[in-house]
Every structure is written in structure tokens, then in C-alpha cells.
Amino acid sequence: MNAPVKIETTLKDWESDQEVRWCPGCGDYAILKAVQRTLPQLGCDPANTVFVSGIGCSSRFPYYIESYGFHTIHGRAPAFATGIKLANPDLDVWLVTGDGDGLSIGGNHMMHVLRRNVNMQIMLFNNEIYGLTKGQASPTSRIGTPSPSTPGGSIDRPAQPCAFALGSGARFVARGFDVSKKLPEVLSAAHAHKGAAFIEIFQNCIVYNKDVFHDFAAPKGAEDNQLWLENGQPMLFAKGEKGITLDRDLLELRVVDVVDGDWEAAGVIVHNVTNRSIAHMLVELPFGEYPMALGVLYDDPRPSFEETTVAENERLSQGKKPDLGALLAKGQTWTVDGTAQDPV
């Protein structure tokens, strides 16, 4: 496995010749631009980059990036991406999926790519609805969501993508939203992580679930409801006037007021990206009572799956010569005698 060679590119170098076709006002446009702005900053090479997607509105992504791409089948993008990474570990692999594609039919595959820790960036666009198939409730739809499949309002308890990722053993978990100026920072942090980096991106479906994230993800006016996390920095929000503390008796997070900027006196805790327990608490915070936790919630690398696989193959092949015939003949074999007659 070789370290990637950084090259100089511009946003234009990452724009394909395909017409970008999503609904006018769709949050996917903003995410696409954020990715295309981030890739040059990372020094990525289009000839060494692969975007893999499943089925859904988000899965049109590979057509619009000037790189290699695979538009695969529903929910199976993680399996394809794993195969690509094992076949050529030096490739820079990005997986694009949605809340339906990645957590419904693809939930099983998503779980395994995370627990195996395959080195890739996984962007899950969460709009809490099935957009491509005309607005049915998805695994992340909130209780009470009306849709063609839930005309009386959804009664299902929604899945939480980041909680799912942590529970599946992910070593990097982050959140952002489509129009955020900080989304490139989150993508850059994910790319720097060696292993499976999971990013939930809240995405506005302008047609079937318009402004469902408006309280914390509006382009303007929602800043007080955003808790942007930064490693080694206190968990402050609302212009520093509020913060998050840990109630050590009840083992739960609480909102506290910060007076005169003295966050230490208020008991505000400092974010530590390697603290898995706090990460679990942050993704479970009920929005409304708490701000939405955004940025890198958890980042604690371990050896990646393909790195371990390559090392194991090298160890097992030491001192051995490739011999296909010997491999095929290994173990129990038998010879069919053509002169033998069937019993009467």
C-alpha cells in the first residue's frame, strides 16, 4: 500500500460533463459543491478516486464527479466499495448513500463495512424520506410523518444514523448539513481518518420533506441551535452563552448557562473525539431540548480492514510459490475410471 500522491486541481477539474439533475432547491446541489471544493484542498487525484453509490437521489452523485464511479444496486454500495478497496487499496474510495438506501435494504451491508473498518469516506444523505420513489416514509422519518406509505403519520421509532454507526463499531462518526460552510471541514477530517469514516449529512428534500431540518440547518438564523464540536474545545453554543455539562450522578448531558464567558465555572465539558461514551450521548440528545451536535463526534482510528488483509496475505505467502495445479489438487481428490460399469 502506497501513500497517495497529492496533486493540484481546481473545482472545475472535478466537474463532469453531465448535466446535474436534481429537483430545483435540492440540498444535494450544495453537498456536491462542498465535495468538489474539498477534493482540491485535499490534493486528491481524479485518476485515483472512486465514488460508489447505491440507488436513490443521492446515488446520482458519481455521474457529476470527474473521477471513476460506480452506480450500483440498492443498498449494496458498501459491498462494491469493499471489493474495490481490497482489489486496489491505494484507491481513494468515497461511498454515497441515503437514509433509505443505506439503512433499510442496505443496513446489513452498512453495518459490515463499518465493523470491518474499510478505509473509505461514507456520506449518508439523510432527508428522512424516500425522495426518488415519491415520498414514502424512510427508516429515519420522524413519528407522525405523513406520507403515501404512512397516511395517518408514521408510527415507527426512527433510526438514528450516527447511533447506528457507533453501534456497528465505526471508528469515525461525524455530522453536517447540506448548506453549512463547515461541511468541507467535516469532509476533510473524514478523509484524514484511516478507516471507515461515517458522515451523516442532513439534506433538505425540497419536494417531499421541505425544511424538516430548518430549526437547526437553515442557511441563516439557526446558529443558536447548532453545537459545533471541536476536539479539545469546550462544548459551547448560542454565541457562547450556553454549554453542555455532564451530570456525573445521572450520567447524562445537560445544558447550562455560561455567565461572562466563564465556561469552566459553568462546568462545560471539553470535547474529546476519542471518548466513545460521550459520542453516544451526543448523538442521542433530543433536539429541541438540546442543540444539534455537529462536526466530528468520534475519531479513534484502528488498523483498516484492507491494511490488515494485505499484511495477512503477505505473511501467509512468505516462502511459497504460486501453483494453481497444486492448489486445485490439494485435499481429498479422486479419479473417475471410465471403464467402470454401473451396478445391475
Side-chain angles (χ1 to χ4, degrees), residues 230-249:
E230 185 177 349
N231 190 40
Q233 297 299 315
M235 295 187 188
L236 297 170
F237 66 102
K239 302 180 182 65
E241 295 177 357
K242 293 183 180 295
I244 301 295
T245 189
L246 174 64
D247 186 324
R248 287 173 170 76
D249 293 327

Side-chain angles (χ1 to χ4, degrees), residues 4 11 13 87 92 113 123 127 133 138 144 147 167 186 200 208 227 245 248 257-258 271 285 294 300 313 327 343:
L11 184 150
D13 293 319
D92 187 9
V113 78
M123 299 187 295
N127 56 22
T133 51
S138 84
S147 77
V186 176
E200 177 186 13
Y208 296 112
L227 172 62
T245 189
R248 287 173 170 76
D257 293 323
V258 178
H271 185 43
L285 292 178
L294 300 163
D300 191 13
N313 289 342
L327 177 64

Side-chain angles (χ1 to χ4, degrees), residues 175 177 202 213-218 220-229 236-240 242 244 255 285-294:
R175 272 185 183 149
F177 59 91
F202 296 108
F213 307 119
H214 196 72
D215 289 344
F216 69 87
K220 295 181 180 179
E223 293 82 4
D224 286 355
N225 294 324
Q226 301 168 6
L227 172 62
W228 281 100
L229 300 162
L236 297 170
F237 66 102
K239 302 180 182 65
K242 293 183 180 295
I244 301 295
V255 173
L285 292 178
F287 180 71
E289 300 175 43
Y290 295 84
M292 179 58 67
L294 300 163

